[in-house]
Amino acid sequence: MAEDKGEGKEDYKLEANSELRFEVEAGATVQLELAEGKAEIFGTELTTNRKCTFLAGAKVAVYTWHGCHIKLSGRTDVAYISKDTPMTIYVNTHQALEQMRHIAEEHVTRGPRVLVVGPTDVGKSTLCHLLLNYAVACGHSPVFVDIDVGQNDIAIPGTLGAMVVERPADVEEGFSLTAPLVFHYGHNSPAQNPTLFNILVSKLGEIINTKCNEIKKSNYSGVIINTGGWVRGTGYDAIKHAAGAFEVDVVIVLDQERLYNELKRDMPGFVKVILLPKSGGVVERNRNIRTEFRDQKVREYFYGTRNSLFPHTFEVPFAEVKIFKIGAPSLPASCLPLGMKTGDNKTKVVPVTIGPTVQHHIMSISSASSVDHNILEANSLGFIIITGIDMEKQKFTVLSPSPRPLPKSILLMSDIQFMDIE
Ligand SMILES: Nc1ncnc2c1ncn2[C@@H]1O[C@H](COP(=O)(O)OP(=O)(O)OP(=O)(O)O)[C@@H](O)[C@H]1O
Ligand SMILES: [Mg+2]
């Protein structure tokens, strides 16, 4: 049963176990109100008579277990009700994880550590969001790890991150990002430097193991890990590596039987590998939309989701910072210095000369205090963009979320660029 709607104000009466799916048209916003009954958006319960606004490009599903009445106003690309959703299967998965949490608490062991994998556009991020929301609603504080360096939900593209989730996500703003732990990777695909990617995944795994040993509640609550859609060849190896680094005991494979069978074959016996269907509502995103989405994430970092933040602009003398990038171009083995292996160039910390070429690149402020520290594995304190360079004055201008001065002096340059234009 599907209804196609267009513009203006529309009322939708949903039966039990159905969902209203809609996309907000480019350049428009859509207001949603729950007039009657109970409903949720990706695991966050809606409040009756509270209007929520969704911005252009948002793809939303309002699900109801027992029926509800929804009012939409604004221009939607497409809006329809579907009764064909995998929500019951997803909630059963949550119940199984919940049981593992109870056993962990009883026996003072670890809660479930879940790796969510699958090809692109199958709803991996949405499922993580849902499982985290349900866990929080049951009183847990799970750790959310996002190692999708292209479409990361914790920090900006080109990073890997982790955080403890203590409150359900806000339907408009997502999870509140209190004290996330973020690492600089510098590219939007793990394929660009798998060596560095795996090192950072191992580092995150180590930190999470230590934290979970210290914080009992997080240990019982478990860890939910989101991944990117790279599942073949080196991408598959990276999935296996992540499963080991986070010591996962559950792998959820969305939509792809082949990947499911490969992982069943290759994971150790104590790891439960589960195949779940994707929702028919998940919308495919082409390359352009992905690029736009990444730009939007960077913009949100500086300006907030609804332009509610006011970033700072100030000048920094060249002499106050040192810029590096990680990874040097590969050299043939015969040209390498004695004792250096061909893979070593991928983790090489290379100084970058400040000049016009650094403009518009995302710069991560490293927590390392000096070049003698392990810069590679130092977490990021935040991000800035160099928006202008004055070679004569030997100063550059930055866009920064915080006022001057920069908290540390080592900057790591990302491949990813951001032009600060409307
Ligand atoms: N049931 C649904 N109805 C409508 N839209 C949905 C539904 N589930 C997910 N979406 C939307 O589909 C889009 C893609 O989903 P999601 O980001 O979870 O996929 P993904 O597998 O993580 O993609 P990627 O490979 O890019 O990381 C998102 O914009 C999400 O809001
Ligand atoms: Mg995703």
Side-chain angles (χ1 to χ4, degrees):
M1 183 180 98
E3 305 169 31
D4 230 336
K5 302 274 174 179
E7 186 167 340
K9 289 188 188 308
E10 304 288 350
D11 272 27
Y12 295 88
K13 299 262 169 62
L14 276 74
E15 292 171 23
N17 296 320
S18 66
E19 73 185 16
L20 168 65
R21 297 171 181 159
F22 66 88
E23 282 186 51
V24 182
E25 205 180 279
T29 57
V30 165
Q31 282 209 325
L32 178 149
E33 189 181 341
L34 172 67
E36 219 184 312
K38 283 194 169 179
E40 56 181 60
I41 294 181
F42 307 136
T44 303
E45 209 175 306
L46 295 179
T47 310
T48 319
N49 298 325
R50 193 195 124 191
K51 286 200 170 85
C52 322
T53 307
F54 293 92
L55 306 178
K59 299 164 179 63
V60 186
V62 192
Y63 182 82
T64 180
W65 293 101
H66 305 291
C68 72
H69 175 187
I70 302 281
K71 291 180 175 178
L72 281 193
S73 64
R75 292 202 315 273
T76 52
D77 241 356
V78 59
Y80 65 97
I81 295 172
S82 173
K83 289 208 68 148
D84 184 13
T85 98
M87 282 294 279
T88 313
I89 303 173
Y90 293 172
V91 90
N92 285 342
T93 309
H94 157 73
Q95 298 290 9
L97 299 179
E98 204 45 31
Q99 267 185 9
M100 291 170 78
R101 292 187 183 106
H102 289 146
I103 294 171
E105 198 160 1
E106 232 172 79
H107 296 85
V108 197
T109 54
R110 248 183 211 177
R113 292 190 170 200
V114 188
L115 186 69
V116 178
V117 299
T120 47
D121 298 323
V122 289
K124 299 178 296 298
S125 302
T126 306
L127 180 65
C128 289
H129 192 105
L130 193 83
L131 294 175
L132 289 164
N133 265 336
Y134 286 164
V136 171
C138 294
H140 302 292
S141 304
V143 177
F144 174 39
V145 179
D146 201 337
I147 60 169
D148 182 354
V149 291
Q151 316 280 332
N152 194 285
D153 277 332
I154 294 181
I156 59 179
T159 64
L160 294 83
M163 65 179 191
V164 177
V165 180
E166 294 184 285
R167 273 180 295 278
D170 180 89
V171 283
E172 293 173 341
E173 303 283 340
F175 289 111
S176 85
L177 298 172
T178 28
L181 175 67
V182 178
F183 286 95
H184 163 88
Y185 168 68
H187 315 274
N188 57 35
S189 155
Q192 280 156 293
N193 193 342
T195 313
L196 175 62
F197 181 78
N198 287 340
I199 289 175
L200 296 174
V201 165
S202 296
K203 180 72 190 170
L204 258 180
E206 243 174 64
I207 296 177
I208 284 166
N209 285 342
T210 313
K211 285 277 168 227
C212 284
N213 284 339
E214 287 165 13
I215 308 167
K216 271 195 194 139
K217 190 168 178 192
S218 290
N219 201 27
Y220 303 147
S221 302
V223 183
I224 309 263
I225 306 141
N226 181 41
T227 61
W230 191 33
V231 297
R232 314 256 10 108
T234 316
Y236 179 68
D237 294 339
I239 290 178
K240 284 193 293 185
H241 175 261
F246 295 108
E247 298 175 5
V248 304
D249 44 12
V250 179
V251 178
I252 297 180
V253 184
L254 273 169
D255 192 51
Q256 206 185 75
E257 259 190 274
R258 177 186 174 141
L259 180 61
Y260 165 71
N261 281 301
E262 282 174 324
L263 285 164
K264 278 223 350 174
R265 180 193 65 202
D266 294 341
M267 285 290 109
F270 64 87
V271 178
K272 294 182 195 71
V273 184
I274 307 164
L275 178 66
L276 295 185
K278 78 169 201 185
S279 162
V282 177
V283 190
E284 271 183 32
R285 291 174 288 190
N286 61 28
R287 190 181 273 262
N288 287 347
I289 296 180
R290 279 173 191 277
T291 311
E292 254 173 50
F293 190 81
R294 280 199 287 271
D295 259 7
Q296 189 189 322
K297 283 297 246 191
V298 183
R299 168 161 289 283
E300 278 174 14
Y301 174 79
F302 290 103
Y303 292 94
T305 37
R306 280 143 222 265
N307 288 324
S308 52
L309 301 177
F310 299 94
H312 300 258
T313 295
F314 52 89
E315 285 188 329
V316 179
F318 290 2
E320 278 185 14
V321 297
K322 288 196 173 68
I323 303 182
F324 297 95
K325 65 180 189 162
I326 316 236
S330 342
L331 287 173
S334 57
C335 302
L336 289 174
L338 211 63
M340 196 169 162
K341 294 190 279 308
T342 30
D344 292 352
N345 64 307
K346 293 290 182 197
T347 54
K348 206 166 178 306
V349 179
V350 187
V352 175
T353 312
I354 305 178
T357 51
V358 303
Q359 262 193 100
H360 308 304
H361 282 266
I362 295 173
M363 299 280 168
S364 147
I365 306 171
S366 171
S367 61
S369 298
S370 82
V371 282
D372 304 330
H373 280 107
N374 185 353
I375 291 180
L376 218 67
E377 294 186 7
N379 65 299
S380 299
L381 300 178
F383 303 91
I384 56 169
I385 310 276
I386 298 182
T387 51
I389 303 238
D390 189 331
M391 292 304 286
E392 224 163 84
K393 285 207 241 158
Q394 293 279 292
K395 284 181 176 179
F396 55 79
T397 310
V398 301
L399 181 71
S400 159
S402 331
R404 76 176 91 204
L406 296 177
K408 291 270 183 179
S409 61
I410 293 178
L411 304 180
L412 300 181
M413 186 167 92
S414 174
D415 259 4
I416 305 166
Q417 297 186 333
F418 174 71
M419 300 283 190
D420 187 25
I421 38 172
E422 274 302 318

